Amino acid sequence: MRLARADELLRLRAIEDEAGTLFDGLGVFEASLDASFPLDALAKLIDLRQVWVACLDDDFPVGMVIASARDGVAYVEELDVVPAHGRRGLGTRLLEEVYAWAEARGYAAVTLSTFRDLAWNAPFYRKRGFRDLEPAEWSPGMKAISEDESKRGLRVDLRVFMRRELRSGTGSR
C-alpha cells in the first residue's frame, strides 16, 4: 500500500476499467454514458495525497481507493481492485488507508455510496462496519452526489449511502 503518483493516472483508469467489467450485463448503469471517475478530479486528489494504491511485489498497482472530504467527514469516492487480484484482502487494506487518513484529520466517520445488493459492494462494506443510511440521514451533499451519479449513468435507485464511525473521530473539520 502506498500513495498513488501523478505518473500513474492512466494506470489508475485501467484499474477502474478492469474492475468495472464485474458490472457488465448487470443493468446497474447506462452503458452509453461514461461512469468513470473524472481524470482531472483524480489528478487533483493524487496531488492532495488522497489516493492510495495496492501494488504487486514489483510496485505495479492492481487496486486503488480515492478519498475526499465531504460534508465534514471522509468520503470514499471509489474503491477498485483488478478482478484477478480480488478476494485477497486488498480492498480491506485500501479502506484501512482511508480510515487512517480520516482519523489523522479528526473526521468522525467515513461515508460512501455503493450498489445496495451486489456482493462486492454494500455487503462488503457492511462486513467492515459500514451501515446503510436512510434518506433522512443523508447529509446535504449526498443529494448532489446522487444527482451526479445519475448524470454519469449509474442506477441510483439501486444504490445506498453508507457510514462507518471512526474510533478516534472528534468531529468534523
Side-chain angles (χ1 to χ4, degrees):
M1 301 293 142
R2 64 168 171 77
L3 287 167
R5 298 185 300 253
D7 65 345
E8 294 175 319
L9 193 61
L10 295 180
R11 175 61 194 151
L12 300 182
R13 175 53 60 84
I15 291 169
E16 180 183 26
D17 290 347
E18 288 180 60
T21 63
L22 293 173
F23 298 94
D24 289 351
L26 298 179
V28 296
F29 62 88
E30 173 57 50
S32 67
L33 298 176
D34 184 4
S36 300
F37 196 85
L39 284 177
D40 58 337
L42 180 57
K44 180 180 177 184
L45 291 169
I46 289 171
D47 288 344
L48 291 172
R49 304 172 58 89
Q50 293 173 207
V51 181
W52 296 265
V53 292
C55 296
L56 300 175
D57 291 335
D58 62 359
D59 201 40
F60 186 72
V62 295
M64 69 168 178
V65 65
I66 306 166
S68 66
R70 292 182 182 245
D71 295 318
V73 296
Y75 185 78
V76 175
E77 297 282 349
E78 187 156 341
L79 172 66
D80 293 310
V81 175
V82 171
H85 297 281
R87 304 188 56 83
R88 298 180 189 180
L90 296 178
T92 299
R93 290 179 56 206
L94 286 164
L95 279 176
E96 289 168 355
E97 295 293 328
V98 175
Y99 304 156
W101 171 81
E103 287 182 332
R105 281 149 188 79
Y107 294 124
V110 176
T111 60
L112 56 85
S113 174
T114 192
F115 288 105
R116 182 180 295 108
D117 299 317
L118 297 179
W120 63 95
N121 278 211
F124 167 85
Y125 293 110
R126 288 183 195 114
K127 290 178 184 174
R128 282 142 190 91
F130 284 82
R131 68 175 181 84
D132 295 20
L133 294 176
E134 296 298 323
E137 297 177 278
W138 288 12
S139 66
M142 288 179 176
K143 182 175 183 196
I145 291 168
S146 184
E147 289 171 1
D148 180 62
E149 289 177 342
S150 179
K151 288 177 188 171
R152 290 173 42 215
L154 299 176
R155 290 270 314 272
V156 295
D157 59 311
L158 302 178
R159 294 181 67 78
V160 63
F161 282 101
M162 304 184 82
R163 180 180 174 107
R164 181 185 191 272
E165 303 301 321
L166 297 175
R167 291 180 304 271
S168 65
T170 56
S172 61
R173 288 191 178 180

